[in-house]
Amino acid sequence: MKRLIYLFLCGIFLNCIPVYALNVSDNLATRKIKDIAVYRKDMVVAIKYENDSDVKSDEVKYIPCTCNRKRTRLGEFETSPYQMYRWHPLNMDENGKRHYGQYCIRFDDNILFHSALYNEMNNPLSLDISTYNGIVDPEVESQGCVRLRVKDLKEIYRQAEERPIKVIVTDEECPVDRKTLVNEESFELWSSDTDIAYDLTDSEAKTILIYSKINRD
């Protein structure tokens, strides 16, 4: 019942409550993904798209990620539509605290693509700030999974729902410098004093900020 009331209120107030401007775009590309490479040493993911009729060579999008230089296993793998989770419990940290992830896509036995960590299940406002900011920090490593921003994960998730996608984890040198990628991308980094931190697309952020405002009022 609470969920129905929440959705109803969001529908009413969607266009009449001011929402802060966001620097996050909803990346719902229709280009078909050919395969995904994880450059383990460089902490970069490369999404390769199939040829377009107007393009002579494959297009590749390079994205900073967080993975583990030893535990993210080298090799060729494949995603499965049957091992995907909109929200999913993840490993506990060194203090025994359980974390959760959005848009989780398994491609190896215990290795998934997933978002930065969250402190609560099904709560996008419980973002763990240090793990989200860690996506741009090459010194931060995961326990083995590959962490990406939500805007990049959604594109992979939607296509992986329809068919398996090949994933290659390699120690080859990435063709693009990670520092350049971090500087070129628009990362919304958060401080530990932030009241509401999120990693969302525009449409989702608008809804969740409305929900937060309703709760505060």
Side-chain angles (χ1 to χ4, degrees):
M1 177 61 70
K2 288 183 179 179
R3 181 175 176 81
L4 290 175
I5 293 172
Y6 156 56
L7 292 173
F8 175 72
L9 290 173
C10 285
I12 293 176
F13 293 107
L14 186 61
N15 295 315
C16 59
I17 294 179
V19 178
Y20 301 109
L22 305 172
N23 295 320
V24 184
S25 62
D26 196 348
N27 188 349
L28 302 179
T30 57
R31 296 166 297 176
K32 187 174 181 180
I33 295 174
K34 183 176 181 180
D35 57 54
I36 301 171
V38 179
Y39 290 92
R40 191 175 71 167
K41 289 195 302 185
D42 296 309
M43 298 274 201
V44 172
V45 163
I47 301 177
K48 182 183 289 186
Y49 300 95
E50 292 190 355
N51 285 333
D52 187 279
S53 57
D54 298 326
V55 181
K56 293 182 180 180
S57 60
D58 291 332
E59 181 183 351
V60 183
K61 179 169 71 174
Y62 295 93
I63 312 160
C65 73
T66 299
C67 61
N68 189 288
R69 293 181 173 92
K70 292 182 179 179
R71 295 182 185 176
T72 309
R73 191 160 62 107
L74 297 172
E76 294 189 5
F77 310 94
E78 203 170 57
T79 65
S80 167
Y82 305 105
Q83 297 190 68
M84 299 173 55
Y85 319 94
R86 178 62 183 81
W87 282 89
H88 191 61
L90 301 172
N91 294 339
M92 293 184 181
D93 64 19
E94 61 274 11
N95 299 316
K97 179 177 176 55
R98 173 74 67 184
H99 288 290
Y100 307 89
Q102 291 200 71
Y103 296 102
C104 303
I105 309 157
R106 191 180 304 279
F107 64 86
D108 192 5
D109 290 341
N110 296 310
I111 307 298
L112 304 91
F113 291 114
H114 64 72
S115 66
L117 304 183
Y118 289 82
N119 295 312
E120 298 175 15
M121 186 79 161
N122 299 318
N123 182 2
L125 288 181
S126 67
L127 179 68
D128 184 88
I129 293 173
S130 63
T131 60
Y132 174 75
N133 289 350
I135 293 176
V136 304
D137 185 349
E139 300 304 316
V140 175
E141 294 189 51
S142 70
Q143 294 186 13
C145 289
V146 181
R147 301 174 191 162
L148 294 166
R149 290 173 302 173
V150 165
K151 62 181 288 187
D152 300 311
L153 279 166
K154 286 184 70 175
E155 179 183 1
I156 299 171
Y157 191 93
R158 294 190 178 190
Q159 295 202 33
E161 282 182 310
E162 300 174 357
R163 70 189 194 288
I165 298 176
K166 182 179 178 181
V167 179
I168 305 131
V169 181
T170 178
D171 267 344
E172 293 180 6
E173 184 178 350
C174 180
V176 177
D177 181 64
R178 191 182 197 279
K179 291 182 180 179
T180 303
L181 289 175
V182 171
N183 292 333
E184 288 179 350
E185 288 283 352
S186 176
F187 279 88
E188 181 71 61
L189 299 181
W190 303 100
S191 73
S192 58
D193 298 326
T194 302
D195 181 34
I196 298 175
Y198 51 83
D199 174 22
L200 301 165
T201 59
D202 279 341
S203 57
E204 291 169 327
K206 182 179 290 187
T207 302
I208 204 68
L209 287 174
I210 290 171
Y211 177 61
S212 174
K213 181 173 176 60
I214 291 171
N215 280 349
R216 288 199 302 270
D217 294 346

